[in-house]
C-alpha cells in the first residue's frame, strides 16, 4: 500500500495535499459560517445575527466526534450565560460592580455545567445580553443564533463527511520509526569506531530530542482516533485505534531504550577514552546488530500502519526474518563480550547493560509479544466500556448482539496485528 502511494500521480498527490487538516477546516468552516448566517437572517430578530456564523466557526471541527462534543458544550455555555444575564437584569441591572459579579458568577456557572474550554463563553454571552436594554429579545435571539450555528455545523459534517486521518497518523508513526532508525545507525557507526566523548554525548542529546517527536505523533494519533469515533464510514474503528496506539507505545519504549543505550555508550566512551569502545570485531558486530534492529523498527511501523491483509502478511514475514537475524547477531555479540570479559573485566557492567537494552528492544518488537499486548489492550478497553455503560452491555447481551471488541479480538486470527 505504501509503495503504491509513493508512485502516485501528480493529480493524486495534489488531492492528498488538499486533504490536509488546515485546508479541510478552512473550506468546511467557511461553508458552515455562510450557511448559518443566511439561515439566521431569516429566523433571528437581529439585523446582523453574527452569533450564528461565530458558533458555526467554533463548532465545526475536523472530526465528527469533535464537532458533536463542541456543539453540545457551545450551546450549554450560551444558554447558561443567557440565564445568568436574565437573573442579573431582574435583580441589579448593569453597573461596574454588578459587571464584576456577573463575570465571577458566569465563570462559576461555566465550571459547574462542565463546558470545558467554553467557560469564557458563558461570561461573554452574559455580558452581551446584559448590556442591552431589551434583555428578553436579545437573550432569545442569542439562543436562536447559537442553535442555528450548532445545527449547521453538525449538518455540514453529515453532508460533507470529514476525512479519516488514519493514513496521516500512520505516516507520522513511520516518520518517527525512520528517525529512530537513522539515529540508531549513527550510534552503531560510532560504536564501531573511536568516538570522542563529545560525539557520544551528542547522540545522547539527539535521543532525548526524540521525545518531542513522540509528542507530535501522539497529537496526530489523537486526531485520527477522534476521526474514527462516531464515523459510519469506518468499520472496526476501535481495532484501528488500539493497533495504532499500542504501536506508538512500542516505538516510545524503543526510544527510551535507545536513550539508555546512548547513555551506556557515552559512559563507556568516558571510561575508554582515548581507546575505542570495543575491539574491531566486536565493534563491527555491534554496528551490524544496531543496523538490523533499526531495520526491524521500520518494518514494525510499516506493519502497524498497514491495513491490507496481503501487505500486512508480507510486512510481518519481513519483520520476523529481521528479528531472527538480529537475535543471531545478538548471540554472537554476547559470545564476543564474554570472551572479552575473560581477558579484561573492566566495565563489564556496561557490557551487560548493552545486552540488556538490546534484548528489551527485540522483545518489544517481537510479533508474539505484540499479539499478547494487543489482546490485553482490547480486553482492557472492553472492560472499561462495559463498566462505563453497564445497561447498554446487558441489553446487547440479551439481544445477542456481539461486542465489536470481541469480534475484533476473535477475528484477528493468524494475524499478529
Amino acid at each position: 500500500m505504501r509503495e503504491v502511494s509513493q508512485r502516485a500521480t501528480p493529480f493524486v498527490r495534489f488531492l492528498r495535499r488538499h486533504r490536509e487538516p488546515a485546508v479541510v477546516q478552512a473550506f468546511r468552516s467557511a461553508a458552515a459560517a455562510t450557511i448559518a448566517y443566511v439561515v439566521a437572517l431569516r429566523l433571528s430578530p437581529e439585523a446582523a445575527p453574527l452569533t450564528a456564523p461565530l458558533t458555526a466557526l467554533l463548532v465545526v471541527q475536523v472530526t465528527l466526534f469533535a464537532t458533536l462534543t463542541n456543539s453540545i458544550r457551545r450551546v450549554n455555555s450560551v444558554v447558561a450565560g443567557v440565564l445568568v444575564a436574565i437573573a442579573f437584569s431582574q435583580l441589579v441591572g448593569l453597573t461596574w460592580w454588578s459587571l464584576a459579579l456577573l463575570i465571577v458568577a458566569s465563570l462559576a456557572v461555566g465550571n459547574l455545567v462542565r463546558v470545558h474550554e467554553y467557560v469564557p463563553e458563558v461570561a461573554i454571552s452574559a455580558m452581551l445580553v446584559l448590556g442591552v436594554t431589551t434583555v428578553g429579545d436579545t437573550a432569545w435571539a442569542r439562543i436562536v443564533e447559537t442553535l442555528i450555528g450548532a445545527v449547521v455545523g453538525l449538518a455540514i459534517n453529515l453532508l460533507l463527511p470529514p476525512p479519516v486521518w488514519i493514513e496521516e497518523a500512520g505516516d507520522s508513526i513511520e516518520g518517527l520509526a525512520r528517525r529512530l532508525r537513522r539515529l540508531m545507525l549513527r550510534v552503531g557507526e560510532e560504536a564501531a569506531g573511536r568516538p570522542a566523548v563529545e560525539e557520544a554525548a551528542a547522540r545522547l542529546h539527539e535521543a532525548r530530542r526524540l521525545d518531542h517527536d513522540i509528542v507530535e505523533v501522539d497529537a496526530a494519533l489523537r486526531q485520527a482516533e477522534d476521526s474514527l469515533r462516531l464515523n459510519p464510514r469506518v468499520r472496526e474503528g476501535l481495532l484501528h485505534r488500539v493497533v495504532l496506539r499500542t504501536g506508538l507505545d512500542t516505538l516510545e519504549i524503543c526510544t527510551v531504550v535507545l536513550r539508555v543505550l546512548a547513555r551506556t555508550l557515552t559512559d563507556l566512551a568516558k571510561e575508554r577514552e582515548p581507546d575505542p569502545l570495543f575491539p574491531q570485531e566486536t565493534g563491527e558486530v555491534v554496528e551490524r546488530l544496531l543496523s538490523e534492529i533499526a531495520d526491524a523498527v521500520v518494518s514494525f511501523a510499516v506493519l502497524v500502519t498497514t491495513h491490507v491483509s496481503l501487505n500486512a502478511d508480507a510486512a510481518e514475514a519481513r519483520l520476523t526474518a529481521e528479528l531472527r537475524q538480529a537475535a543471531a547477531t545478538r548471540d554472537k555479540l554476547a559470545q564476543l563480550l564474554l570472551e572479552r570479559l575473560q581477558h579484561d573485566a573492566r566495565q563489564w557492567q556496561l557490557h551487560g547493560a548493552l545486552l540488556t537494552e538490546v534484548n528489551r528492544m527485540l522483545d518489544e518488537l517481537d510479533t508474539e509479544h505484540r499479539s499478547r499486548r494487543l489482546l490485553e489492550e482490547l480486553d482492557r478497553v472492553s472492560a472499561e466500556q462495559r463498566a462505563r455503560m453497564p445497561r447498554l452491555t446487558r441489553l446487547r447481551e440479551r439481544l445477542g448482539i456481539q461486542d465489536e471488541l470481541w469480534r475484533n479480538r476473535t477475528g484477528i486470527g493468524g494475524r499478529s496485528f
Side-chain angles (χ1 to χ4, degrees):
M1 184 174 68
R2 298 290 174 184
E3 294 178 358
V4 173
S5 114
Q6 292 175 356
R7 296 194 299 266
T9 63
F11 178 72
V12 173
R13 289 196 296 268
F14 173 81
L15 291 179
R16 287 180 179 173
R17 281 199 302 270
H18 285 73
R19 289 179 66 250
E20 289 296 321
V23 177
V24 173
Q25 180 72 350
F27 282 103
R28 288 158 54 81
S29 297
T34 303
I35 296 173
Y37 182 73
V38 172
V39 174
L41 282 175
R42 297 180 176 274
L43 300 180
S44 175
E46 296 290 327
L50 295 178
T51 302
L54 175 61
T55 301
L57 283 173
L58 294 175
V59 165
V60 174
Q61 303 295 320
V62 177
T63 66
L64 180 61
F65 177 76
T67 298
L68 180 60
T69 55
N70 277 271
S71 299
I72 297 174
R73 293 172 186 171
R74 169 77 174 171
V75 172
N76 287 343
S77 66
V78 172
V79 172
V82 168
L83 293 177
V84 172
I86 293 175
F88 267 74
S89 67
Q90 298 296 325
L91 296 176
V92 294
L94 179 61
T95 62
W96 65 268
W97 57 269
S98 66
L99 178 62
L101 291 177
L102 175 72
I103 295 175
V104 173
S106 299
L107 296 178
V109 170
N111 285 286
L112 288 176
V113 297
R114 297 181 180 180
V115 293
H116 301 285
E117 68 272 22
Y118 289 113
V119 169
E121 179 66 22
V122 179
I124 293 173
S125 298
M127 287 188 293
L128 290 177
V129 173
L130 189 61
V132 298
T133 55
T134 55
V135 174
D137 293 340
T138 303
W140 170 248
R142 186 161 176 78
I143 292 176
V144 169
E145 293 171 19
T146 301
L147 291 174
I148 291 172
V151 170
V152 170
L154 288 174
I156 287 294
N157 256 350
L158 294 175
L159 297 177
L160 303 174
V164 178
W165 303 109
I166 286 293
E167 185 175 351
E168 286 70 19
D171 291 340
S172 298
I173 291 177
E174 282 195 32
L176 173 63
R178 296 186 188 282
R179 289 191 291 274
L180 188 61
R181 176 182 181 274
R182 288 193 295 268
L183 179 56
M184 201 174 296
L185 292 178
R186 288 196 294 270
V187 171
E189 291 173 358
E190 292 184 357
R194 194 189 300 264
V197 176
E198 293 77 10
E199 294 176 349
R203 300 291 83 78
L204 175 59
H205 184 63
E206 290 182 27
R208 289 169 176 166
R209 286 205 303 266
L210 285 175
D211 290 341
H212 302 289
D213 297 334
I214 292 176
V215 172
E216 295 177 357
V217 176
D218 182 70
L221 185 53
R222 284 199 304 270
Q223 178 177 268
E225 290 171 342
D226 284 347
S227 70
L228 292 172
R229 295 175 181 173
L230 306 179
N231 196 323
R233 300 185 304 164
V234 179
R235 297 183 60 187
E236 296 185 340
L238 183 57
L239 179 61
H240 288 312
R241 296 204 308 270
V242 173
V243 166
L244 291 178
R245 176 58 63 183
T246 53
L248 177 59
D249 291 342
T250 298
L251 291 181
E252 185 174 3
I253 292 174
C254 291
T255 301
V256 173
V257 175
L258 178 59
R259 184 165 66 243
V260 176
L261 176 62
R263 181 68 190 184
T264 299
L265 295 178
T266 301
D267 293 340
L268 190 59
K270 293 178 182 178
E271 296 290 338
R272 290 291 182 87
E273 194 178 24
D275 297 330
L277 296 180
F278 306 99
Q280 181 178 357
E281 182 182 5
T282 305
E284 291 175 353
V285 174
V286 171
E287 181 180 11
R288 183 167 70 252
L289 175 59
L290 292 181
S291 175
E292 292 168 354
I293 296 177
D295 292 338
V297 167
V298 175
S299 297
F300 173 85
V302 172
L303 176 57
V304 168
T305 57
T306 298
H307 308 297
V308 180
S309 298
L310 182 60
N311 291 340
D313 293 339
E316 183 174 353
R318 183 170 60 253
L319 174 60
T320 302
E322 291 171 346
L323 291 176
R324 187 183 303 113
Q325 179 60 42
T329 306
R330 183 269 320 273
D331 294 340
K332 182 176 181 180
L333 175 62
Q335 183 63 33
L336 290 173
L337 291 178
L338 180 60
E339 294 174 358
R340 178 69 178 175
L341 177 62
Q342 297 173 354
H343 298 87
D344 183 5
R346 294 178 302 170
Q347 294 88 43
W348 63 268
Q349 302 96 328
L350 296 176
H351 292 166
L354 172 63
L355 289 176
T356 300
E357 290 144 14
V358 167
N359 286 335
R360 179 63 186 276
M361 280 194 283
L362 292 177
D363 182 62
E364 287 295 329
L365 297 173
D366 183 68
T367 54
E368 293 184 3
H369 176 89
R370 168 67 177 170
S371 297
R372 292 193 301 270
R373 173 78 175 88
L374 181 59
L375 294 180
E376 290 172 359
E377 186 66 16
L378 287 172
D379 288 340
R380 185 189 66 81
V381 176
S382 177
E384 288 182 354
Q385 287 190 353
R386 292 174 184 274
R388 191 167 55 246
M389 297 178 291
R391 294 181 179 178
L392 179 60
T393 301
R394 289 194 296 268
L395 178 61
R396 292 172 64 89
E397 291 176 351
R398 290 177 182 176
L399 296 177
I401 301 176
Q402 195 176 30
D403 195 302
E404 178 195 1
L405 277 174
W406 178 252
R407 291 198 308 269
N408 290 332
R409 191 187 192 284
T410 56
I412 294 176
R415 289 189 56 185
S416 299
F417 297 79

